Amino acid sequence: MSEKLSCEWCGSGDVKMEKRSVYWELPEGTRAVEIKETPTACCVSCGMEYQKEAMVKEIEDQLFLIDRSKLGKTVLYEELMKMPRLLKRNYFDFTQ
């Protein structure tokens, strides 16, 4: 059974998970990439589309830990998350 989602913006329970394109700035700030088919919470009530905080952290960690020179202008979410990491984890994240 899937978890019942509520909108983080308006509190509505009418939220659907869909796959959307998102645009993410690389850690060094030199450019942005389009990440296609990214799981996205879409609120029917207020129209807000967003990624949950845990997913934001996963994407940011992955972008920090991979060889970004091998990253094109667009990438599928699943492909991004499968790219080999240069380090096992983000040693600069002190919230862990």
Side-chain angles (χ1 to χ4, degrees):
M1 186 170 183
S2 64
E3 114 186 49
K4 179 71 175 157
L5 297 174
S6 61
C7 179
E8 294 178 10
W9 297 91
C10 74
S12 168
D14 199 2
V15 176
K16 299 184 182 344
M17 289 303 294
E18 298 182 8
K19 293 187 177 188
R20 301 285 174 97
S21 285
V22 296
Y23 298 86
W24 225 275
E25 185 177 352
L26 296 181
E28 62 273 13
T30 56
R31 64 186 175 106
V33 294
E34 178 183 10
I35 307 171
K36 295 182 176 183
E37 298 183 17
T38 305
T40 302
C42 300
C43 179
V44 176
S45 296
C46 73
M48 186 57 93
E49 297 180 4
Y50 60 93
Q51 284 65 50
K52 296 200 135 306
E53 193 61 36
M55 177 161 292
V56 169
K57 180 167 179 12
E58 287 177 18
I59 292 171
E60 289 181 349
D61 281 349
Q62 186 69 354
L63 287 172
F64 186 77
L65 296 170
I66 63 171
D67 181 357
R68 292 179 297 281
S69 68
K70 296 181 180 176
L71 198 56
K73 292 181 180 182
T74 64
V75 64
L76 291 172
Y77 170 79
E78 291 294 330
E79 289 176 2
L80 172 67
M81 299 314 284
K82 289 179 182 176
M83 291 180 80
R85 293 178 167 197
L86 300 174
L87 298 170
K88 291 181 183 179
R89 68 180 189 91
N90 183 350
Y91 294 99
F92 299 100
D93 180 1
F94 300 109
T95 62
Q96 298 179 8

